[in-house]
Amino acid sequence: MHHLLWPVCALALLTAGCDDSGGSSSKVRITTSSSDNDGKGVLKVVDALQCPQTQGVLTRKGSAWADGATCIYSGPRGAEVTLHLVPLNGGSSQEALKAFEDKLAADLPQALAEVRAGEARNQAKAARADAEAARADAEMARAEAEAARAEAHGEPGSTAHVSAPGVRIEAQDDKATVRLPGMRIDADGDRANIKIGGITIRADDSSSQVNVRSKDNAVSIDAHEGAARIRTSAPGQAVRATFLMTTNGADAETGWRMVGYEARGPVGGPIVVATVRTKDRNENRIMDAAKALVTLNVGD
């Protein structure tokens, strides 16, 4: 079913990646982790950055700044990575990271405009999708009765029905309704609304749009035909956050293809933030190097 391609790709983003077979979209790899349950160590409190001369594909530009709070690196095709030591001074990490996100997103103005417009449309669609899901439950009950009647009379039809303990599936023409333990799928033509555990995926192939939200807001993905914005954060008593905004082609105003940050630190700060701007199609190697710089300073 073609209309399930986007949600499957979105779910893949949570673990490994989604690769457009047409080659026009770059791959983005997102991983999430829990600081409570995955065995990661306590993040360190640091008062000055460690800034090696090289890290992966990155090379430090000049000397580390005297205050020990900033280091600047260059990478392939003019990529820029800046390592920041950010004191929270009693404020929240969310406020500090929002300032970084706003500044970075402004460097992809076309992608930002597209994502914001899509987000507004999705908010309207979300309420409608929930109402449609409720109606689908009622229609499923009616369809079960109709399928039983048609079967009893030997009448052919375009409806497929499966009912078993914990499993209910109804499909008719371009519509499909699936109910499994912990999973709900409502698909209608190019549109699909999927809930898996605490994750909601809303996809619309006609507009090449997919939106993913986790119940605890640890994962947020807004993807469109030409742009994507991704946020992840790990639960627990520490800051572990990632932000990415990508576009299929270089932004006409700035030339960047991807911007983002990798952030780590104890909940009370200071936090270490590596901001990234790149024109390279293989941004994963640059993000990996940026993450390694952050990990070097505060731990994993």
Side-chain angles (χ1 to χ4, degrees):
M1 297 174 69
H2 183 255
H3 55 260
L4 293 182
L5 173 61
W6 268 96
V8 169
C9 286
L11 190 58
L13 277 171
L14 305 185
T15 54
C18 179
D19 188 7
D20 179 1
S21 59
S24 62
S25 298
S26 56
K27 291 185 287 186
V28 177
R29 184 174 69 253
I30 300 297
T31 59
T32 62
S33 60
S34 166
S35 55
D36 288 336
N37 302 316
D38 60 9
K40 293 182 182 294
V42 176
L43 298 181
K44 296 180 291 186
V45 176
V46 298
D47 55 15
L49 292 172
Q50 297 183 59
C51 300
Q53 180 65 33
T54 61
Q55 179 65 62
V57 296
L58 302 178
T59 301
R60 196 182 71 221
K61 296 173 66 175
S63 301
W65 288 27
D67 61 2
T70 310
C71 298
I72 301 175
Y73 288 81
S74 61
R77 297 192 61 191
E80 298 177 1
V81 175
T82 304
L83 198 62
H84 307 263
L85 182 62
V86 184
L88 298 181
N89 297 323
S92 71
S93 60
Q94 290 84 357
E95 293 172 345
L97 293 177
K98 182 63 165 58
F100 279 104
E101 178 180 323
D102 290 345
K103 187 174 182 179
L104 288 163
D107 286 334
L108 287 182
Q110 295 173 329
L112 179 60
E114 183 175 345
V115 168
R116 283 178 172 171
E119 188 175 32
R121 290 192 300 267
N122 184 62
Q123 289 175 353
K125 290 179 179 179
R128 186 168 64 248
D130 289 339
E132 290 174 352
R135 287 196 296 271
D137 286 336
E139 290 173 1
M140 179 174 281
R142 289 195 296 270
E144 288 175 349
E146 178 62 23
R149 185 198 67 77
E151 184 177 356
H153 290 80
E155 298 175 358
S158 59
T159 299
H161 172 73
V162 176
S163 182
V167 178
R168 298 173 69 194
I169 302 174
E170 195 76 36
Q172 182 173 13
D173 299 324
D174 287 338
K175 291 186 177 182
T177 303
V178 179
R179 299 292 184 263
L180 299 170
M183 178 186 295
R184 297 167 60 98
I185 300 175
D186 296 282
D188 185 356
D190 288 332
R191 295 182 295 114
N193 182 32
I194 303 171
K195 292 188 177 182
I196 306 174
I199 296 176
T200 298
I201 303 171
R202 304 188 195 280
D204 188 340
D205 263 4
S206 63
S207 60
S208 297
Q209 178 177 341
V210 62
N211 304 91
V212 182
R213 296 289 186 275
S214 63
K215 191 173 182 180
D216 58 3
N217 293 318
V219 176
S220 170
I221 301 173
D222 296 288
H224 308 270
E225 185 174 8
R229 180 180 62 190
I230 302 161
R231 303 183 184 100
T232 70
S233 61
Q237 296 303 309
V239 178
R240 290 182 172 93
T242 301
F243 167 73
L244 292 175
M245 181 170 284
T246 69
T247 180
N248 285 346
D251 186 272
E253 296 182 33
T254 66
W256 300 120
R257 295 176 62 92
M258 188 277 285
V259 298
Y261 67 67
E262 188 75 28
R264 297 274 192 280
V267 67
I271 59 175
V272 175
V273 182
T275 59
V276 177
R277 295 172 177 86
T278 178
K279 302 173 185 178
D280 201 314
R281 288 180 177 272
N282 187 7
E283 61 263 22
N284 282 334
R285 59 180 179 168
I286 300 171
M287 284 300 297
D288 286 346
K291 181 178 179 180
L293 286 171
V294 174
T295 302
L296 172 67
N297 278 272
V298 294
D300 196 20

